[in-house]
């Protein structure tokens, strides 16, 4: 791994930086340029970006502004890990990845110049969820609009988002589905939807319920939770939005909502998920598109198509307990 | 070493469409002298979809599953990444949020159960590596996997989010029961410490297991990426694109087989090769093994136990 193990407290460590270089105006293809430097134990990734520019190549470009983790400008990827340059200690990454660090923009395909990307898609999606409180404001209020600590607690961590884009450009669903709103926009949607002053609850829930662009297109990979430098945990907010859609009766019956609700239906009957039924139930007539895969599963002996009495279906022991718990614990229906 | 004993939470898939996962897990345990007690009372973990519909109900059901391991006084092991994540997310919340724990226990009391937080919950992969030990597994290898280049596919729900996994998947010899003291569930952790056990950007556990069985682990970029399983119904194109990309990456880096500790990844990657290939405009054909199937091959388990006939993409050639 690293030199750290032999020498626990070195002042500096020799690091090779491979930086992504590209100028959309002049370059046909991007390339990587190597810089070697001694890195001090307190240096941040931002310091290394500065040193490339100041000591090696004045044309090297990257975004930076506040220098203390609040403006969200300096997000890049180091060895594939999204970081906020001004918050991330450099030697810590050497410990993780070894003494060759690869600096890349958040999204290489959106690169404009070196670390700078066109974040247009990020801002467009952010704007699409109405990321503000919608309400009639009395210009001459007689008293403050008070919120209880519990109400604030509900969205406080979502409010820490600095729009750095780390989660957005770490999201694999966005990578293959450009309509998807993505984790940052959805976390913002949650933050304003549960703000007690806000009056656009259903409207925002409807925007985020759309198939193809909304919460149902999240692949649940948790890349966003891992990528966030402010611990916003966007996927947790996405789960809450899912629940809110059912609570507010915004959820329409479709393949995605039935897929979620179908779990209760199965667990009630068997304790386990009936894997065949969940596909039939969620898809309805659309099930025909799974025919070729169903045939493959039958051929391999994985499923039993003529088991109408569900004799092959496993059943949890003490199933009555499960049924009772569902009865007394469920919070809503589709 | 005293005999290792765990409560096995199988999840649904191992009892339904991937029976080969359960049989190979039990066979591996028997070969290694690990005792597994099946939690037959357990229900589905909700697979993140029940969580979308009714988060509270999913907490109650997952807490109930853990209760049965606690009643046996055994640490729980899982053989599905998604079961692992949903179970530890429940555990994490109940161990740190006394109010939620009381709410859940109020429901569980109606059926005579109580969540206490006394059982650890880990993936079987880490029980094998950290409790049993890779050196000892190596000693038991009778059919080295030396002819094979095997591509490890880690599956999201056992490596992300690391702030939860490191606490549970790490070996915890002196596990202390939390009082539910109300500390915030989301404290900032030292990056290095969080990533010591498994770094989600450079995971190594499966690679090390492959090497311990004398196989060659394939290095490829997609090994810690998402297979797309969870949107297979509502967004099949997304799912196919992710599955196809990962499988192509493994094939293009010379893999003879893919191995994964998650039956949902396995099912998706094994079953969807034709449709993913069609979407990507290339041929995709590669056997996809469950982690215990791979171990069972090297330990010399029987073909029935390994269950290669249940794999959709032909895998029987791997039995030599």
């Amino acid at each position: 791994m690293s030199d750290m193990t032999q020498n626990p407290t070195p002042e500096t460590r020799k690091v090779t930086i491979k930086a992504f270089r590209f100028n959309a105006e002049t370059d046909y293809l991007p390339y990587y340029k190597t810089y070697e430097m001694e890195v001090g134990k307190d240096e941040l990734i931002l310091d290394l970006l500065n040193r490339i520019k100041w000591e090696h190549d004045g044309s090297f470009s990257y975004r930076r502004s506040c220098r203390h983790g609040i403006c969200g400008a300096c997000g890049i990827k180091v060895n594939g890990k999204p970081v906020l340059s001004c918050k991330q200690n450099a030697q810590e990454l050497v410990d993780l990845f070894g003494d060759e660090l690869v600096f890349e923009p958040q999204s290489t395909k959106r690169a404009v110049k070196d670390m700078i990307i066109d974040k247009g898609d990020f801002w467009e999606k952010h704007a699409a969820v109405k990321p503000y409180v919608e309400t009639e404001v009395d210009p001459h209020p007689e008293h403050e609009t008070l919120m209880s600590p519990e109400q604030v607690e509900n969205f406080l961590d979502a409010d820490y988002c600095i729009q750095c884009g780390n989660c957005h450009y770490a999201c694999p669903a966005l990578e293959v589905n450009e309509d998807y709103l993505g984790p940052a926009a959805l976390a913002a949607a949650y933050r304003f939807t549960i703000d007690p002053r806000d009056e656009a609850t259903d409207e925002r829930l409807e925007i985020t319920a759309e198939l193809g662009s909304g919460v149902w297109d999240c692949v649940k990979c948790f890349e966003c939770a891992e990528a966030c430098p402010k611990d916003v945990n966007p996927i947790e907010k996405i789960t809450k939005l899912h629940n809110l859609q059912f609570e507010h009766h915004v959820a329409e019956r479709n393949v995605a909502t039935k897929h979620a609700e179908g779990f209760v239906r199965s667990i009630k009957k068997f304790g386990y998920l009936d894997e065949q039924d969940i596909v039939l139930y969620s898809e309805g007539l659309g099930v025909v598109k799974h025919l070729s895969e169903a045939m493959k599963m039958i051929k391999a002996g994985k499923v039993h198509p003529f088991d109408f009495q569900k004799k092959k279906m496993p059943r949890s022991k003490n199933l009555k307990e499960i049924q009772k718990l569902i009865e007394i614990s469920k919070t809503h229906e589709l | 070493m005293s005999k290792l004993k765990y409560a096995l939470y199988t999840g649904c898939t191992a009892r339904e469409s991937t029976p080969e996962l359960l049989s190979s897990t039990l066979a591996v345990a028997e070969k290694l002298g690990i005792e597994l007690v099946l939690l037959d009372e357990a229900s589905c973990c909700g697979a993140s979809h029940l969580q979308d519909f009714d988060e509270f109900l999913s907490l109650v059901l997952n807490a109930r599953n853990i209760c049965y391991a606690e009643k046996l006084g055994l640490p729980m092991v899982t053989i599905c990444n998604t079961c692992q994540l949903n179970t530890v997310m429940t555990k994490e919340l109940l161990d740190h949020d006394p109010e939620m724990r009381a709410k859940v226990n109020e429901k569980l009391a109606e059926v005579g159960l109580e969540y206490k937080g006394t059982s650890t919950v880990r993936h079987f992969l880490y029980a094998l590596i950290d409790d049993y030990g890779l050196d000892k597994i190596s000693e038991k290898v009778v059919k080295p996997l030396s002819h094979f280049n095997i591509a490890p596919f880690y599956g999201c729900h056992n490596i992300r989010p690391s702030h939860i996994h490191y606490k549970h998947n790490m070996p915890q010899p002196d596990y202390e029961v939390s009082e539910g003291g109300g500390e915030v569930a989301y404290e900032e952790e030292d990056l290095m410490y969080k990533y010591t056990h498994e770094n989600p950007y450079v995971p190594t556990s499966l690679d090390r297991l492959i090497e311990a069985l004398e196989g060659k682990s394939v290095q490829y970029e997609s090994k810690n990426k998402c297979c797309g399983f969870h949107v297979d119904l509502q967004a099949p194109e997304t799912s196919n694109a992710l599955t196809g990309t990962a499988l192509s990456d493994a094939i293009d880096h010379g893999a003879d087989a893919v191995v994964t500790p998650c039956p949902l990844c396995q099912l998706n990657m094994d079953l969807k090769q034709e449709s993913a290939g069609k979407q990507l405009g290339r041929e995709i054909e590669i056997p996809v093994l469950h982690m215990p199937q791979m171990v069972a091959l090297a330990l010399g388990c029987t073909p029935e136990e390994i269950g290669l006939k249940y794999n959709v993409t032909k895998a029987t050639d791997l039995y030599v």
Side-chain angles (χ1 to χ4, degrees):
Chain A
M1 272 263 297
S2 62
D3 304 328
M4 196 74 174
T5 41
Q6 283 109 45
N7 183 5
T9 50
E11 277 305 297
T12 65
R13 292 161 74 176
K14 195 173 176 189
V15 175
T16 304
I17 296 167
K18 272 176 69 185
F20 176 94
R21 301 299 308 264
F22 181 63
N23 182 347
E25 285 180 2
T26 54
D27 295 334
Y28 181 61
L29 284 173
Y31 57 97
Y32 289 80
K33 211 165 168 186
T34 302
Y35 306 93
E36 287 192 355
M37 51 180 86
E38 289 288 333
V39 173
K41 66 177 166 41
D42 295 326
E43 282 191 284
L44 303 167
I45 294 298
L46 180 60
D47 294 319
L48 306 193
L49 291 171
N50 286 336
R51 284 176 62 190
I52 295 176
K53 189 176 184 71
W54 298 340
E55 297 169 12
H56 296 269
D57 182 350
S59 75
F60 183 63
S61 305
Y62 49 99
R63 286 197 178 103
R64 75 213 192 300
S65 180
C66 78
R67 210 231 158 278
H68 53 254
I70 199 64
C71 77
C74 67
I76 65 163
K77 280 182 182 162
V78 179
N79 297 53
K81 176 178 161 46
V83 301
L84 207 54
S85 307
C86 70
K87 221 189 142 198
Q88 178 60 57
N89 177 278
Q91 286 204 4
E92 194 171 46
L93 293 186
V94 178
D95 286 335
L96 281 181
F97 298 115
D99 52 19
E100 185 180 286
L101 296 181
V102 183
F103 288 6
E104 284 168 321
Q106 290 170 317
S107 165
T108 50
K109 67 181 182 192
R110 302 189 68 85
V112 176
K113 190 158 188 296
D114 305 332
M115 299 298 124
I116 297 173
I117 62 163
D118 174 0
K119 243 171 113 174
D121 69 318
F122 175 91
W123 295 115
E124 201 179 295
K125 279 162 180 172
H126 193 248
V129 299
K130 295 176 171 271
Y132 39 81
V133 172
E134 262 207 355
T135 183
E136 289 292 321
V137 178
D138 180 355
H140 306 289
E142 293 194 354
H143 51 78
E144 306 89 332
T145 309
L146 289 179
M147 257 191 261
S148 70
E150 290 76 29
Q151 285 174 319
V152 177
E153 201 58 33
N154 279 336
F155 61 75
L156 188 61
D157 59 344
D159 209 34
Y160 289 148
C161 175
I162 54 172
Q163 287 95 41
C164 68
N166 272 4
C167 64
H168 187 86
Y169 295 108
C171 173
L174 259 171
E175 193 71 18
V176 296
N177 170 11
E178 60 180 30
D179 295 331
Y180 180 48
L181 286 165
L186 291 170
Y190 169 77
R191 183 255 172 269
F192 292 101
T193 300
I194 57 146
D195 190 310
R197 300 164 297 178
D198 181 64
E199 285 161 12
T201 309
D202 284 6
E203 201 185 331
R204 220 179 280 102
L205 286 175
E206 277 161 21
I207 295 170
T208 60
E210 286 280 321
L211 290 188
S213 58
V215 287
W216 299 104
D217 285 72
C218 163
V219 292
K220 301 168 186 286
C221 64
F222 288 75
E223 291 274 10
C224 57
E226 203 63 48
C228 179
K230 304 297 274 188
D231 289 350
V232 168
N233 202 355
I235 187 168
E236 183 194 65
K237 311 302 177 283
I238 293 174
T239 302
K240 290 189 188 301
L241 279 174
H242 279 113
N243 275 256
L244 283 169
Q245 287 170 5
F246 290 106
E247 274 161 38
H248 288 261
H249 306 286
V250 168
E252 285 173 20
R253 289 180 76 83
N254 59 39
V255 57
T257 56
K258 284 203 291 189
H259 185 201
E261 182 253 354
F263 271 70
V264 184
R265 171 186 146 103
S266 264
I267 297 171
K268 233 191 249 176
K269 276 190 219 159
F270 304 107
Y272 294 99
L273 172 71
D274 183 340
E275 294 174 340
Q276 292 180 59
D277 181 70
I278 193 79
V279 181
L280 282 166
Y281 177 70
S282 312
E283 291 280 15
L285 289 174
V287 77
V288 290
K289 65 172 174 276
H290 299 285
L291 209 59
S292 104
E293 272 132 25
M295 294 308 290
K296 287 188 173 113
M297 289 181 80
I298 293 166
K299 203 175 147 208
K302 284 177 171 298
V303 293
H304 315 284
F306 303 112
D307 180 25
F308 299 117
Q309 314 218 311
K310 298 283 177 189
K311 284 188 181 153
K312 304 247 183 194
M313 230 344 254
R315 282 163 178 80
S316 301
K317 248 195 212 170
N318 304 356
L319 181 59
K320 286 218 163 65
E321 257 176 44
I322 297 170
Q323 291 163 337
K324 175 153 191 201
L325 285 174
I326 293 176
E327 212 39 59
I328 60 174
S329 313
K330 66 178 178 194
T331 44
H332 40 260
E333 300 192 10
L334 176 59
Chain B
M1 184 169 71
S2 59
K3 194 175 183 187
L4 295 172
K5 188 173 176 182
Y6 305 96
L8 173 66
Y9 173 39
T10 65
C12 305
T13 313
R15 296 199 191 227
E16 294 180 57
S17 48
T18 64
E20 71 278 12
L21 170 60
L22 187 54
S23 65
S24 57
T25 300
L26 297 176
V28 164
E30 203 190 317
K31 280 269 185 221
L32 300 178
I34 297 172
E35 192 176 342
L36 295 178
V37 182
L38 262 71
L39 286 175
D40 289 327
E41 297 86 355
S43 71
C44 172
C45 74
S48 80
H49 301 288
L50 173 64
Q51 281 75 357
D52 287 345
F53 178 59
D54 194 331
E55 221 178 346
F56 180 68
L57 176 58
S58 78
L59 287 176
V60 173
L61 293 178
N62 279 301
R64 175 181 171 278
N65 294 344
I66 304 171
C67 283
Y68 277 97
E70 292 181 356
K71 279 173 81 165
L72 294 169
L74 290 175
M76 182 197 269
V77 289
T78 63
I79 46 175
C80 168
N81 289 15
T82 298
C83 291
Q84 174 66 23
L85 178 61
N86 286 302
T87 311
V88 292
M89 287 213 301
T90 302
K91 183 169 174 53
E92 190 67 16
L93 189 62
L94 299 188
D95 287 351
H96 296 290
D97 182 343
E99 221 172 287
M100 186 53 88
R101 182 170 170 152
K103 268 192 209 164
V104 167
N105 269 335
E106 190 192 307
K107 301 295 177 192
L108 290 173
E110 298 273 327
V111 295
L113 293 169
E114 187 194 353
Y115 173 84
K116 298 194 177 88
T118 49
S119 282
T120 54
V121 178
R122 290 161 69 203
H123 195 291
F124 187 51
L125 170 69
Y126 297 115
L128 285 179
I129 293 179
D130 298 323
D131 295 358
Y132 193 85
L134 286 174
D135 293 349
K136 289 212 177 67
I137 291 176
S138 290
E139 288 166 19
K140 302 265 180 174
V141 170
V142 294
K143 286 188 178 178
L145 303 180
S146 35
H147 333 298
F148 300 119
N149 296 317
I150 303 174
F153 189 80
Y154 282 81
C156 302
H157 293 171
N158 209 22
I159 56 173
R160 283 183 295 268
S162 59
H163 75 270
I164 289 184
H165 287 302
Y166 87 94
K167 291 186 193 168
H168 299 278
N169 270 332
M170 258 189 189
Q172 301 160 51
D174 302 313
Y175 182 68
E176 276 176 37
V177 182
S178 162
E179 296 285 320
E183 62 181 285
V184 278
Y186 217 122
E187 61 206 54
E188 201 168 319
E189 295 293 346
D190 176 54
L191 188 65
M192 271 310 284
Y193 185 65
K194 212 170 61 167
Y195 288 169
T196 1
H197 186 245
E198 189 87 282
N199 174 353
Y201 295 101
V202 195
T204 59
S205 59
L206 261 184
D207 291 77
R208 287 182 285 133
L209 181 62
I210 294 167
E211 305 282 344
L213 305 173
E214 296 175 43
K216 192 180 170 300
S217 77
V218 174
Q219 299 308 311
Y220 68 120
E221 211 176 290
S222 302
K223 70 176 174 184
N224 57 350
K225 300 287 188 290
C226 174
C227 78
F229 173 84
H230 288 280
V231 293
D232 178 36
L233 291 183
Q234 63 262 35
E237 284 178 9
T238 299
S239 179
N240 279 336
L242 298 178
T243 309
T245 307
L247 288 168
S248 307
D249 195 9
I251 292 168
D252 295 346
H253 284 82
D256 302 309
V258 172
V259 67
T260 173
C262 178
L264 306 184
C265 296
Q266 195 278 342
L267 197 57
N268 201 33
M269 298 176 92
D270 187 24
L271 184 60
K272 298 296 170 71
Q273 299 191 0
E274 193 186 327
S275 48
K278 243 182 225 163
Q279 188 174 312
L280 265 61
R282 62 169 285 167
E283 199 176 322
I284 296 176
E285 196 184 341
I286 185 167
V288 183
L289 298 177
H290 299 275
M291 179 276 290
Q293 274 189 309
M294 173 182 74
V295 182
L297 274 171
L299 298 185
C301 297
T302 66
E304 287 69 37
E305 290 169 328
I306 305 169
L308 292 173
K309 65 170 181 168
Y310 289 110
N311 291 51
V312 171
T313 304
K314 193 167 181 269
T316 42
D317 293 346
L318 296 170
Y319 186 86
V320 283

